[in-house]
Amino acid sequence: METGNARTDRLGILLEQFDKARDMARVRLAGLGDEEYLWEPVPGCWSIRRRGEATTPRAFGPGEWVLDLGAPDIPASEYAEVARQAAGGMSVEKIAEDWSVSVDRVEEVLGHTGEPEPDDAPVATIAWRLGHLHYQFAGSWEWSFGGRRQDPKLMVDFTPSAASALERFWVTLDRWRDSVATVTEEQLDTVGFSQYPYGSDPDDPYVGVLSGANLELIHHMAEIALLRDLWRAGLGSRDGRR
């Protein structure tokens, strides 16, 4: 269904949301330089690093530069999602497999009462957030529309060049958008249309996967926009890290 120029069908709404988020991101990322891209506003940031300099236990990538990744856990912000998975009939063992944690950890999360503690997540650089989005969208395309063979964590050659990273990222996003535009109503309802190997995609209807992809793009781009605002305001120059 369309109302004027606006689509009101499920796919149309998701595409319009994606397009607006992508257009806003292009504007907010204009003029990004290498120093800002790699800026670490606090000690202990996650970023991209040369393979021999990585300090996180699961840093990954196919080339010289790798993306920081810590030990697996379920962050407090995802406790409600884990509860929904369990309530929907997903076994504790399957939830543990999806999150790469122990069954005991899942049971601890499911037994939690009261408000979750704030996440103790590290601050991440713009380079990390772009790299994180890039490999996820590249992998999501591969495991929805491609050969469903390549490991998402080995699909993106991370780079210290902001210009190169952005050029490659926009190409990946455009390919994703073009393929998503071909999805049918039946495919939107198909559980397992995406077989993305990290997370719950194989157990979810594809409409939920697409909604989650939009959310991922929106929230990480909001974080990048804040880092750009702090950089422009001169925060780094005041505290000695710029």
Side-chain angles (χ1 to χ4, degrees):
M1 179 185 299
E2 296 190 10
T3 302
N5 293 325
R7 291 175 57 175
T8 58
D9 59 292
R10 292 181 298 170
L11 183 59
I13 291 170
L14 289 168
L15 287 173
E16 182 178 5
Q17 183 185 55
F18 177 89
D19 288 346
K20 288 181 177 179
R22 180 186 55 181
D23 292 347
M24 293 172 68
R26 280 186 175 275
V27 173
R28 288 297 265 140
L29 282 163
L32 180 67
D34 295 348
E35 186 179 3
E36 181 183 1
Y37 170 70
L38 295 167
W39 175 49
E40 299 188 25
V42 296
C45 278
W46 280 5
S47 190
I48 62 167
R49 308 185 190 283
R50 286 190 171 86
R51 186 172 297 276
E53 299 173 358
T55 57
T56 49
R58 296 191 297 157
F60 63 87
E64 178 186 1
W65 292 79
V66 294
L67 191 77
D68 276 325
L69 184 64
D73 195 15
I74 302 174
S77 58
E78 297 289 355
Y79 282 13
E81 175 60 21
V82 170
R84 283 191 291 270
Q85 290 176 329
M90 187 178 290
S91 69
V92 171
E93 291 77 14
K94 174 60 175 169
I95 295 172
E97 179 185 349
D98 284 350
W99 287 96
S100 301
V101 297
S102 68
V103 168
D104 287 345
R105 175 57 176 148
V106 175
E107 291 176 340
E108 178 185 3
V109 170
L110 292 174
H112 181 87
T113 58
E115 291 295 321
E117 293 295 321
D119 283 336
D120 187 21
V123 176
T125 63
I126 293 176
W128 188 93
R129 297 195 184 283
L130 274 178
H132 176 77
L133 284 170
H134 194 170
Y135 96 82
Q136 287 200 330
F137 274 96
S140 291
W141 184 91
E142 165 71 12
W143 288 85
S144 296
F145 306 105
R148 297 184 174 186
R149 292 186 300 271
Q150 298 184 75
D151 185 340
K153 292 181 179 179
L154 299 178
M155 289 183 66
V156 175
D157 190 9
F158 302 112
T159 172
S161 166
S164 294
L166 284 171
E167 181 180 7
R168 300 170 190 174
F169 178 63
W170 299 132
V171 170
T172 296
L173 275 196
D174 289 345
R175 181 177 65 168
W176 166 261
R177 202 276 184 202
D178 289 344
S179 295
V180 169
T182 69
V183 171
T184 66
E185 280 293 309
E186 181 179 1
Q187 289 169 334
L188 284 177
D189 292 322
T190 299
V191 173
F193 183 81
S194 169
Q195 289 292 309
Y196 189 79
Y198 304 114
S200 63
D201 281 16
D203 303 301
D204 296 334
Y206 198 53
V207 66
V209 174
L210 293 179
S211 176
N214 283 4
L215 177 62
E216 191 77 356
L217 177 64
I218 291 166
H219 95 256
H220 280 299
M221 283 300 173
E223 291 163 335
I224 288 171
L226 176 59
L227 287 171
R228 297 218 70 186
D229 288 343
L230 294 174
W231 174 269
R232 188 174 63 249
L235 176 66
S237 62
R238 287 196 297 271
D239 64 12
R241 281 183 285 274
R242 174 178 160 194

